[in-house]
Amino acid sequence: MRLWQEFYKGLLKENPILVLALGLCPTLAVSTSLKNALGMGLSATFVLISSNVLISLVKSFIPSRVRIPSYIVIIATFVTIVELVMEAYFPALYKQLGIFVPLIVVNCIILGRAEAFASRRGVVESFLDGLGMGIGFTLTLSVIGLVREVLGAGKIWGYPVSLDFVPVLMFALPPGALLVLGLLLILKQVGDRR
Amino acid sequence: MSKQLVITSSPHIRDKETISRIMWWVVISLIPAGISAVWVFGLPALYLIVACVVSAVLTELACQKVMGRPVRIGDGSAVITGLLLAYNVSAGLPLWMAVLGSVFAIAIGKQVFGGLGRNIFNPALVGRAFLMASFPAYMTRFYVWKDGALVSQATPLTVVKMGGVPAVTYKTLFLGNYAGCIGETSVLALLIGALILLWRGYISLHTPLSYIGTVALMTWIFGGKAGWFSGDWLFHILSGGLMLGAWFMATDMVTSPITKKGQVAFGIGCGLITSILRLWGGLPEGVSYSILIMNAFVPYLDNLFRPRRLGERRRWI
């Protein structure tokens, strides 16, 4: 039951974007389309789970004074794996995401979960926490990406919605990302109060 | 016991003036520009005005219902936002885009911040900026009304930006029979409205004069092709959205400084940004962005020019 909660909390109750307000930089930058959002979300989820598990395994060996650099090295290792795999098998996506793939290293969700959770909990809990947080991040990012792709480009997953649709360009631009995120936060708050 | 001493708390001086009275007078002062808009741009202008005003009021109603606030659509502030937004768009803008801009102006520009009196930015200009970012092609194609149809025409400022010489006289610019946003072209109609506001005492000359004066000075010094001090400043202050912006949007009570000194600084800032955008920027016109940018500085200006008590130190920022 408690284990299940460690997974479940990341989806909505402690959603990394909507509640913890972490990882906003990739959220605003790469949520221009559903494809980008999903690619970013899944990459971050993989790194999050792997680093969470590894850090919870080695937490007793790391002196607390150098823990942050050690976490960064561990996270960077997994990010390098993601980067190379993506470049080999999904070159188009890799080109689209650009600098934001290596920047997963300093994604504050991952470092935040490492510091706040994985460094003091067991392996199974850390795995579930990483999975929940990752899925929560991916889902939120995908919703923003979907809304922005439909409104800003008139497409879903790259396919046009309708031929005579006039795209609202602002949603393809950074202000559109802030706006959609803000409206999503409103929805979340309204939902919480009900 | 007789009541000889009445003790009450402030306010002690009461005035008949109310928010809705001020707002409806502003609406009246905007009517001449509306008449000019329909005269120059024909029926499409009328449809735009009606669409923007109706959608602004309905959005205000919907927001206030949803947010559980008292419904105050009768105070006329949403009508002003709708009118100003309509005056700020081209006659050829599709109606649904205008409605979308109006909804954005009220919902995001005003109600999200807490409603009337709490918005940082002028709602109508927020709507215009949204439309400019979303539908740039439709917002920058301008028309005039000729023989029952809209005919595409470049605005005088666009002609200047392209390096040409605009074929309009000062009289045309003053009367407003040329291409542009529907409510900005007629200086005459806007000045009539401004006189109404000045007569009612709702605006003072500080912001408009410092704004227009700065633009005149800047364009006179830097605007000419024959070197410094050769610019056509009269053309610059008569064309574009300067008159509409300076008299009606930079003077918005909510989004402009309280003190007179602050208002002068606000006007000078708007004037500088407008001139810089017009002379060296990528777009032909910069009034709306300059007012929006200066809106963001209003809290600082208010603090900077706050009356001090004797001996009180001025704190920057």
Side-chain angles (χ1 to χ4, degrees):
Chain A
M1 188 59 209
R2 237 190 89 244
L3 283 176
W4 166 246
Q5 263 191 352
E6 299 299 355
F7 165 75
Y8 186 74
K9 68 175 194 294
L11 300 186
L12 213 59
K13 200 170 134 256
E14 288 179 31
N15 184 296
I17 296 176
L18 297 178
V19 181
L20 306 180
L22 293 174
L24 292 185
C25 173
T27 306
L28 298 178
V30 300
S31 60
T32 46
S33 71
L34 183 56
K35 228 180 232 176
N36 287 0
L38 211 58
M40 183 69 197
L42 292 178
S43 314
T45 305
F46 168 76
V47 177
L48 189 53
I49 296 171
S50 321
S51 63
N52 254 13
V53 168
L54 193 62
I55 286 168
S56 81
L57 278 173
V58 299
K59 60 178 181 288
S60 44
F61 307 120
I62 301 176
S64 72
R65 292 174 75 181
V66 294
R67 66 185 192 285
I68 301 284
S70 319
Y71 298 161
I72 296 278
V73 170
I74 292 171
I75 295 166
T77 311
F78 290 113
V79 171
T80 310
I81 295 174
V82 167
E83 200 183 345
L84 292 176
V85 169
M86 197 189 279
E87 196 175 0
Y89 294 100
F90 308 97
L93 182 68
Y94 179 74
K95 244 189 174 155
Q96 276 281 314
L97 295 181
I99 184 68
F100 289 98
V101 180
L103 277 182
I104 296 175
V105 174
V106 284
N107 186 317
C108 37
I109 300 174
I110 296 168
L111 200 58
R113 292 329 287 178
E115 169 75 2
F117 198 92
S119 64
R120 52 193 77 163
R121 300 291 192 91
V123 179
V124 182
E125 286 164 301
S126 296
F127 171 81
L128 287 172
D129 177 76
L131 189 66
M133 287 287 160
I135 292 175
F137 179 64
T138 309
L139 281 182
T140 317
L141 206 56
S142 300
V143 170
I144 297 174
L146 181 67
V147 172
R148 288 184 67 193
E149 193 180 358
V150 170
L151 293 178
K155 293 174 178 172
I156 297 176
W157 199 260
Y159 298 105
V161 176
S162 148
L163 286 176
D164 51 341
F165 181 83
V166 184
V168 186
L169 281 183
M170 200 192 78
F171 286 100
L173 304 170
L178 279 170
L179 190 69
V180 175
L181 178 62
L183 294 175
L184 217 56
L185 282 170
I186 292 178
L187 277 182
K188 171 84 171 62
Q189 293 293 320
V190 170
D192 283 353
R193 279 178 205 177
R194 287 272 153 83
Chain B
M1 206 166 79
S2 67
K3 265 192 169 178
Q4 288 188 330
L5 188 63
V6 182
I7 300 173
T8 59
S9 69
S10 61
H12 303 291
I13 303 171
R14 289 186 178 275
D15 197 85
K16 277 190 201 133
E17 210 68 90
T18 59
I19 290 173
S20 60
R21 208 165 113 136
I22 295 175
M23 293 299 169
W24 285 112
W25 269 105
V26 176
V27 171
I28 290 171
S29 73
L30 282 166
I31 288 175
I35 294 170
S36 141
V38 178
W39 174 58
V40 178
F41 300 100
L43 281 177
L46 186 65
Y47 297 149
L48 273 174
I49 292 172
V50 172
C52 282
V53 170
V54 170
S55 55
V57 173
L58 288 182
T59 310
E60 178 118 319
L61 175 70
C63 284
Q64 288 174 338
K65 284 263 186 217
V66 168
M67 293 177 179
R69 298 198 181 119
V71 173
R72 293 209 181 95
I73 52 169
D75 67 8
S77 64
V79 177
I80 295 176
T81 300
L83 271 178
L84 283 176
L85 180 69
Y87 289 3
N88 265 298
V89 299
S90 155
L93 191 78
L95 282 184
W96 68 268
M97 288 183 191
V99 169
L100 206 59
S102 214
V103 170
F104 192 90
I106 294 289
I108 307 291
K110 185 175 165 193
Q111 292 296 336
V112 159
F113 287 96
L116 181 63
R118 296 200 174 89
N119 47 305
I120 303 169
F121 299 102
N122 187 315
L125 288 177
V126 171
R128 182 188 146 84
F130 165 72
L131 290 175
M132 277 295 278
S134 299
F135 313 108
Y138 293 87
M139 286 294 287
T140 51
R141 203 180 299 142
F142 292 101
Y143 302 85
V144 285
W145 183 255
K146 246 185 213 140
D147 307 324
L150 287 174
V151 183
S152 177
Q153 195 182 78
T155 68
L157 279 172
T158 312
V159 174
V160 169
K161 187 103 245 172
M162 297 300 174
V165 180
V168 284
T169 58
Y170 293 132
K171 195 181 150 206
T172 314
L173 285 173
F174 189 72
L175 294 177
N177 196 3
Y178 63 96
C181 294
I182 65 169
E184 73 180 15
T185 59
S186 175
V187 175
L188 176 67
L190 290 168
L191 285 182
I192 293 172
L195 278 180
I196 296 176
L197 291 183
L198 284 170
W199 164 63
R200 294 296 306 173
Y202 297 151
I203 65 172
S204 67
L205 288 168
H206 295 78
T207 308
L209 283 195
S210 58
Y211 190 172
I212 296 169
T214 308
V215 171
L217 194 69
M218 285 285 287
T219 50
W220 176 55
I221 297 177
F222 299 109
K225 286 190 182 118
W228 287 14
F229 304 103
S230 68
D232 189 350
W233 59 272
L234 191 57
F235 166 76
H236 270 283
I237 64 171
L238 289 178
S239 57
L242 181 60
M243 287 293 164
L244 179 63
W247 293 104
F248 290 96
M249 294 189 290
T251 55
D252 174 19
M253 289 177 174
V254 178
T255 57
S256 63
I258 297 167
T259 60
K260 299 297 176 210
K261 278 184 198 165
Q263 288 174 2
V264 171
F266 183 80
I268 292 174
C270 287
L272 283 177
I273 300 171
T274 302
S275 316
I276 289 169
L277 290 177
R278 274 191 188 179
L279 295 176
W280 299 292
L283 289 169
E285 174 62 309
V287 168
S288 57
Y289 291 125
S290 68
I291 297 175
L292 281 173
I293 292 170
M294 287 311 291
N295 280 163
F297 285 98
V298 165
Y300 301 106
L301 291 176
D302 271 338
N303 187 37
L304 207 58
F305 295 103
R306 186 165 55 89
R308 308 284 147 177
R309 288 189 295 275
L310 188 64
E312 189 186 0
R313 281 264 191 98
R314 167 168 299 169
R315 264 191 233 110
W316 300 88
I317 309 299

PDB file of all heavy atoms in Angstrom, chain B residues 8-30:
ATOM      1  N   THR B   8     -16.630  60.318  12.580  1.00  0.00           N
ATOM      2  CA  THR B   8     -16.675  59.270  11.558  1.00  0.00           C
ATOM      3  C   THR B   8     -15.262  58.994  11.072  1.00  0.00           C
ATOM      4  O   THR B   8     -14.358  59.796  11.289  1.00  0.00           O
ATOM      5  CB  THR B   8     -17.508  59.715  10.337  1.00  0.00           C
ATOM      6  OG1 THR B   8     -16.912  60.893   9.799  1.00  0.00           O
ATOM      7  CG2 THR B   8     -18.946  59.975  10.704  1.00  0.00           C
ATOM      8  N   SER B   9     -15.111  57.873  10.460  1.00  0.00           N
ATOM      9  CA  SER B   9     -13.802  57.573   9.866  1.00  0.00           C
ATOM     10  C   SER B   9     -13.802  58.076   8.415  1.00  0.00           C
ATOM     11  O   SER B   9     -14.849  58.372   7.854  1.00  0.00           O
ATOM     12  CB  SER B   9     -13.524  56.071   9.912  1.00  0.00           C
ATOM     13  OG  SER B   9     -14.390  55.419   9.032  1.00  0.00           O
ATOM     14  N   SER B  10     -12.615  58.153   7.839  1.00  0.00           N
ATOM     15  CA  SER B  10     -12.518  58.643   6.464  1.00  0.00           C
ATOM     16  C   SER B  10     -13.179  57.626   5.520  1.00  0.00           C
ATOM     17  O   SER B  10     -13.305  56.459   5.884  1.00  0.00           O
ATOM     18  CB  SER B  10     -11.057  58.830   6.090  1.00  0.00           C
ATOM     19  OG  SER B  10     -10.397  57.594   6.167  1.00  0.00           O
ATOM     20  N   PRO B  11     -13.583  58.017   4.319  1.00  0.00           N
ATOM     21  CA  PRO B  11     -13.409  59.323   3.681  1.00  0.00           C
ATOM     22  C   PRO B  11     -14.447  60.353   4.128  1.00  0.00           C
ATOM     23  O   PRO B  11     -15.595  59.992   4.393  1.00  0.00           O
ATOM     24  CB  PRO B  11     -13.597  58.993   2.197  1.00  0.00           C
ATOM     25  CG  PRO B  11     -14.519  57.837   2.184  1.00  0.00           C
ATOM     26  CD  PRO B  11     -14.208  57.046   3.399  1.00  0.00           C
ATOM     27  N   HIS B  12     -14.007  61.593   4.220  1.00  0.00           N
ATOM     28  CA  HIS B  12     -14.904  62.651   4.673  1.00  0.00           C
ATOM     29  C   HIS B  12     -15.503  63.438   3.528  1.00  0.00           C
ATOM     30  O   HIS B  12     -16.563  64.018   3.654  1.00  0.00           O
ATOM     31  CB  HIS B  12     -14.150  63.605   5.599  1.00  0.00           C
ATOM     32  CG  HIS B  12     -13.552  62.893   6.771  1.00  0.00           C
ATOM     33  ND1 HIS B  12     -14.317  62.359   7.769  1.00  0.00           N
ATOM     34  CD2 HIS B  12     -12.279  62.595   7.078  1.00  0.00           C
ATOM     35  CE1 HIS B  12     -13.532  61.769   8.651  1.00  0.00           C
ATOM     36  NE2 HIS B  12     -12.288  61.896   8.249  1.00  0.00           N
ATOM     37  N   ILE B  13     -14.763  63.486   2.401  1.00  0.00           N
ATOM     38  CA  ILE B  13     -15.291  64.213   1.251  1.00  0.00           C
ATOM     39  C   ILE B  13     -15.826  63.191   0.261  1.00  0.00           C
ATOM     40  O   ILE B  13     -15.116  62.293  -0.172  1.00  0.00           O
ATOM     41  CB  ILE B  13     -14.183  65.038   0.574  1.00  0.00           C
ATOM     42  CG1 ILE B  13     -13.570  65.982   1.602  1.00  0.00           C
ATOM     43  CG2 ILE B  13     -14.739  65.787  -0.622  1.00  0.00           C
ATOM     44  CD1 ILE B  13     -12.336  66.682   1.102  1.00  0.00           C
ATOM     45  N   ARG B  14     -17.087  63.308  -0.041  1.00  0.00           N
ATOM     46  CA  ARG B  14     -17.686  62.367  -0.972  1.00  0.00           C
ATOM     47  C   ARG B  14     -18.005  63.056  -2.288  1.00  0.00           C
ATOM     48  O   ARG B  14     -18.361  64.218  -2.321  1.00  0.00           O
ATOM     49  CB  ARG B  14     -18.952  61.746  -0.369  1.00  0.00           C
ATOM     50  CG  ARG B  14     -18.618  60.793   0.740  1.00  0.00           C
ATOM     51  CD  ARG B  14     -19.866  60.090   1.224  1.00  0.00           C
ATOM     52  NE  ARG B  14     -19.512  59.133   2.275  1.00  0.00           N
ATOM     53  CZ  ARG B  14     -19.092  57.910   2.026  1.00  0.00           C
ATOM     54  NH1 ARG B  14     -18.996  57.486   0.777  1.00  0.00           N
ATOM     55  NH2 ARG B  14     -18.778  57.103   3.012  1.00  0.00           N
ATOM     56  N   ASP B  15     -17.888  62.295  -3.372  1.00  0.00           N
ATOM     57  CA  ASP B  15     -18.098  62.858  -4.690  1.00  0.00           C
ATOM     58  C   ASP B  15     -19.139  62.019  -5.394  1.00  0.00           C
ATOM     59  O   ASP B  15     -19.302  60.846  -5.102  1.00  0.00           O
ATOM     60  CB  ASP B  15     -16.776  62.833  -5.468  1.00  0.00           C
ATOM     61  CG  ASP B  15     -16.821  63.762  -6.647  1.00  0.00           C
ATOM     62  OD1 ASP B  15     -16.540  64.947  -6.453  1.00  0.00           O
ATOM     63  OD2 ASP B  15     -17.153  63.291  -7.743  1.00  0.00           O
ATOM     64  N   LYS B  16     -19.844  62.651  -6.317  1.00  0.00           N
ATOM     65  CA  LYS B  16     -20.854  61.894  -7.058  1.00  0.00           C
ATOM     66  C   LYS B  16     -20.205  60.966  -8.076  1.00  0.00           C
ATOM     67  O   LYS B  16     -20.849  60.057  -8.589  1.00  0.00           O
ATOM     68  CB  LYS B  16     -21.781  62.863  -7.786  1.00  0.00           C
ATOM     69  CG  LYS B  16     -22.885  63.413  -6.899  1.00  0.00           C
ATOM     70  CD  LYS B  16     -23.894  64.155  -7.761  1.00  0.00           C
ATOM     71  CE  LYS B  16     -24.687  65.139  -6.909  1.00  0.00           C
ATOM     72  NZ  LYS B  16     -24.786  66.456  -7.538  1.00  0.00           N
ATOM     73  N   GLU B  17     -18.924  61.228  -8.391  1.00  0.00           N
ATOM     74  CA  GLU B  17     -18.247  60.450  -9.416  1.00  0.00           C
ATOM     75  C   GLU B  17     -18.159  58.966  -9.025  1.00  0.00           C
ATOM     76  O   GLU B  17     -17.779  58.640  -7.903  1.00  0.00           O
ATOM     77  CB  GLU B  17     -16.825  61.006  -9.573  1.00  0.00           C
ATOM     78  CG  GLU B  17     -16.261  60.865 -10.955  1.00  0.00           C
ATOM     79  CD  GLU B  17     -16.969  61.742 -11.962  1.00  0.00           C
ATOM     80  OE1 GLU B  17     -16.546  62.895 -12.149  1.00  0.00           O
ATOM     81  OE2 GLU B  17     -17.932  61.259 -12.547  1.00  0.00           O
ATOM     82  N   THR B  18     -18.520  58.110  -9.955  1.00  0.00           N
ATOM     83  CA  THR B  18     -18.368  56.672  -9.705  1.00  0.00           C
ATOM     84  C   THR B  18     -17.568  56.054 -10.847  1.00  0.00           C
ATOM     85  O   THR B  18     -17.382  56.692 -11.882  1.00  0.00           O
ATOM     86  CB  THR B  18     -19.735  55.962  -9.656  1.00  0.00           C
ATOM     87  OG1 THR B  18     -20.379  56.176 -10.914  1.00  0.00           O
ATOM     88  CG2 THR B  18     -20.596  56.486  -8.529  1.00  0.00           C
ATOM     89  N   ILE B  19     -17.125  54.826 -10.607  1.00  0.00           N
ATOM     90  CA  ILE B  19     -16.352  54.144 -11.646  1.00  0.00           C
ATOM     91  C   ILE B  19     -17.159  54.038 -12.936  1.00  0.00           C
ATOM     92  O   ILE B  19     -16.687  54.372 -14.015  1.00  0.00           O
ATOM     93  CB  ILE B  19     -15.935  52.738 -11.165  1.00  0.00           C
ATOM     94  CG1 ILE B  19     -14.889  52.860 -10.064  1.00  0.00           C
ATOM     95  CG2 ILE B  19     -15.389  51.914 -12.319  1.00  0.00           C
ATOM     96  CD1 ILE B  19     -14.552  51.552  -9.411  1.00  0.00           C
ATOM     97  N   SER B  20     -18.431  53.620 -12.786  1.00  0.00           N
ATOM     98  CA  SER B  20     -19.189  53.376 -14.012  1.00  0.00           C
ATOM     99  C   SER B  20     -19.448  54.692 -14.748  1.00  0.00           C
ATOM    100  O   SER B  20     -19.491  54.724 -15.976  1.00  0.00           O
ATOM    101  CB  SER B  20     -20.489  52.647 -13.710  1.00  0.00           C
ATOM    102  OG  SER B  20     -21.277  53.392 -12.852  1.00  0.00           O
ATOM    103  N   ARG B  21     -19.628  55.812 -13.982  1.00  0.00           N
ATOM    104  CA  ARG B  21     -19.842  57.088 -14.652  1.00  0.00           C
ATOM    105  C   ARG B  21     -18.619  57.480 -15.482  1.00  0.00           C
ATOM    106  O   ARG B  21     -18.732  57.896 -16.637  1.00  0.00           O
ATOM    107  CB  ARG B  21     -20.129  58.164 -13.606  1.00  0.00           C
ATOM    108  CG  ARG B  21     -20.991  59.280 -14.131  1.00  0.00           C
ATOM    109  CD  ARG B  21     -21.520  60.063 -12.967  1.00  0.00           C
ATOM    110  NE  ARG B  21     -20.944  61.387 -13.000  1.00  0.00           N
ATOM    111  CZ  ARG B  21     -21.683  62.468 -12.792  1.00  0.00           C
ATOM    112  NH1 ARG B  21     -22.970  62.348 -12.517  1.00  0.00           N
ATOM    113  NH2 ARG B  21     -21.127  63.654 -12.823  1.00  0.00           N
ATOM    114  N   ILE B  22     -17.438  57.322 -14.876  1.00  0.00           N
ATOM    115  CA  ILE B  22     -16.208  57.636 -15.612  1.00  0.00           C
ATOM    116  C   ILE B  22     -16.109  56.774 -16.862  1.00  0.00           C
ATOM    117  O   ILE B  22     -15.855  57.253 -17.965  1.00  0.00           O
ATOM    118  CB  ILE B  22     -14.970  57.396 -14.710  1.00  0.00           C
ATOM    119  CG1 ILE B  22     -14.989  58.366 -13.546  1.00  0.00           C
ATOM    120  CG2 ILE B  22     -13.687  57.536 -15.510  1.00  0.00           C
ATOM    121  CD1 ILE B  22     -13.887  58.134 -12.532  1.00  0.00           C
ATOM    122  N   MET B  23     -16.363  55.446 -16.658  1.00  0.00           N
ATOM    123  CA  MET B  23     -16.210  54.520 -17.773  1.00  0.00           C
ATOM    124  C   MET B  23     -17.149  54.872 -18.920  1.00  0.00           C
ATOM    125  O   MET B  23     -16.755  54.853 -20.086  1.00  0.00           O
ATOM    126  CB  MET B  23     -16.465  53.082 -17.312  1.00  0.00           C
ATOM    127  CG  MET B  23     -15.413  52.553 -16.348  1.00  0.00           C
ATOM    128  SD  MET B  23     -13.790  52.519 -17.081  1.00  0.00           S
ATOM    129  CE  MET B  23     -12.766  52.209 -15.677  1.00  0.00           C
ATOM    130  N   TRP B  24     -18.410  55.206 -18.591  1.00  0.00           N
ATOM    131  CA  TRP B  24     -19.350  55.497 -19.673  1.00  0.00           C
ATOM    132  C   TRP B  24     -18.996  56.807 -20.371  1.00  0.00           C
ATOM    133  O   TRP B  24     -19.209  56.955 -21.571  1.00  0.00           O
ATOM    134  CB  TRP B  24     -20.794  55.506 -19.160  1.00  0.00           C
ATOM    135  CG  TRP B  24     -21.285  54.100 -18.911  1.00  0.00           C
ATOM    136  CD1 TRP B  24     -21.570  53.530 -17.716  1.00  0.00           C
ATOM    137  CD2 TRP B  24     -21.503  53.081 -19.895  1.00  0.00           C
ATOM    138  NE1 TRP B  24     -21.945  52.220 -17.882  1.00  0.00           N
ATOM    139  CE2 TRP B  24     -21.920  51.918 -19.202  1.00  0.00           C
ATOM    140  CE3 TRP B  24     -21.387  53.035 -21.287  1.00  0.00           C
ATOM    141  CZ2 TRP B  24     -22.215  50.725 -19.856  1.00  0.00           C
ATOM    142  CZ3 TRP B  24     -21.694  51.840 -21.932  1.00  0.00           C
ATOM    143  CH2 TRP B  24     -22.098  50.704 -21.223  1.00  0.00           C
ATOM    144  N   TRP B  25     -18.432  57.778 -19.623  1.00  0.00           N
ATOM    145  CA  TRP B  25     -17.963  59.006 -20.286  1.00  0.00           C
ATOM    146  C   TRP B  25     -16.811  58.686 -21.235  1.00  0.00           C
ATOM    147  O   TRP B  25     -16.698  59.277 -22.308  1.00  0.00           O
ATOM    148  CB  TRP B  25     -17.533  60.053 -19.268  1.00  0.00           C
ATOM    149  CG  TRP B  25     -18.665  60.967 -18.896  1.00  0.00           C
ATOM    150  CD1 TRP B  25     -19.385  60.973 -17.737  1.00  0.00           C
ATOM    151  CD2 TRP B  25     -19.241  62.001 -19.722  1.00  0.00           C
ATOM    152  NE1 TRP B  25     -20.364  61.923 -17.777  1.00  0.00           N
ATOM    153  CE2 TRP B  25     -20.300  62.578 -18.984  1.00  0.00           C
ATOM    154  CE3 TRP B  25     -18.964  62.486 -21.004  1.00  0.00           C
ATOM    155  CZ2 TRP B  25     -21.079  63.626 -19.482  1.00  0.00           C
ATOM    156  CZ3 TRP B  25     -19.750  63.525 -21.509  1.00  0.00           C
ATOM    157  CH2 TRP B  25     -20.791  64.081 -20.750  1.00  0.00           C
ATOM    158  N   VAL B  26     -15.932  57.769 -20.833  1.00  0.00           N
ATOM    159  CA  VAL B  26     -14.843  57.385 -21.742  1.00  0.00           C
ATOM    160  C   VAL B  26     -15.423  56.746 -23.002  1.00  0.00           C
ATOM    161  O   VAL B  26     -14.965  57.003 -24.117  1.00  0.00           O
ATOM    162  CB  VAL B  26     -13.841  56.426 -21.048  1.00  0.00           C
ATOM    163  CG1 VAL B  26     -12.775  55.968 -22.024  1.00  0.00           C
ATOM    164  CG2 VAL B  26     -13.187  57.104 -19.856  1.00  0.00           C
ATOM    165  N   VAL B  27     -16.461  55.907 -22.813  1.00  0.00           N
ATOM    166  CA  VAL B  27     -17.114  55.303 -23.981  1.00  0.00           C
ATOM    167  C   VAL B  27     -17.641  56.402 -24.902  1.00  0.00           C
ATOM    168  O   VAL B  27     -17.438  56.361 -26.121  1.00  0.00           O
ATOM    169  CB  VAL B  27     -18.263  54.364 -23.535  1.00  0.00           C
ATOM    170  CG1 VAL B  27     -19.070  53.918 -24.743  1.00  0.00           C
ATOM    171  CG2 VAL B  27     -17.709  53.164 -22.789  1.00  0.00           C
ATOM    172  N   ILE B  28     -18.299  57.426 -24.299  1.00  0.00           N
ATOM    173  CA  ILE B  28     -18.830  58.527 -25.117  1.00  0.00           C
ATOM    174  C   ILE B  28     -17.696  59.226 -25.863  1.00  0.00           C
ATOM    175  O   ILE B  28     -17.804  59.529 -27.050  1.00  0.00           O
ATOM    176  CB  ILE B  28     -19.590  59.530 -24.217  1.00  0.00           C
ATOM    177  CG1 ILE B  28     -20.882  58.885 -23.714  1.00  0.00           C
ATOM    178  CG2 ILE B  28     -19.888  60.826 -24.978  1.00  0.00           C
ATOM    179  CD1 ILE B  28     -21.599  59.680 -22.651  1.00  0.00           C
ATOM    180  N   SER B  29     -16.556  59.408 -25.155  1.00  0.00           N
ATOM    181  CA  SER B  29     -15.451  60.125 -25.801  1.00  0.00           C
ATOM    182  C   SER B  29     -14.838  59.313 -26.930  1.00  0.00           C
ATOM    183  O   SER B  29     -14.130  59.849 -27.774  1.00  0.00           O
ATOM    184  CB  SER B  29     -14.385  60.471 -24.767  1.00  0.00           C
ATOM    185  OG  SER B  29     -13.683  59.304 -24.398  1.00  0.00           O
ATOM    186  N   LEU B  30     -15.092  58.000 -26.939  1.00  0.00           N
ATOM    187  CA  LEU B  30     -14.541  57.157 -28.019  1.00  0.00           C
ATOM    188  C   LEU B  30     -15.467  57.094 -29.233  1.00  0.00           C
ATOM    189  O   LEU B  30     -15.098  56.569 -30.278  1.00  0.00           O
ATOM    190  CB  LEU B  30     -14.283  55.739 -27.499  1.00  0.00           C
ATOM    191  CG  LEU B  30     -13.013  55.549 -26.667  1.00  0.00           C
ATOM    192  CD1 LEU B  30     -13.043  54.226 -25.933  1.00  0.00           C
ATOM    193  CD2 LEU B  30     -11.782  55.625 -27.547  1.00  0.00           C
TER     194      LEU B  30
END
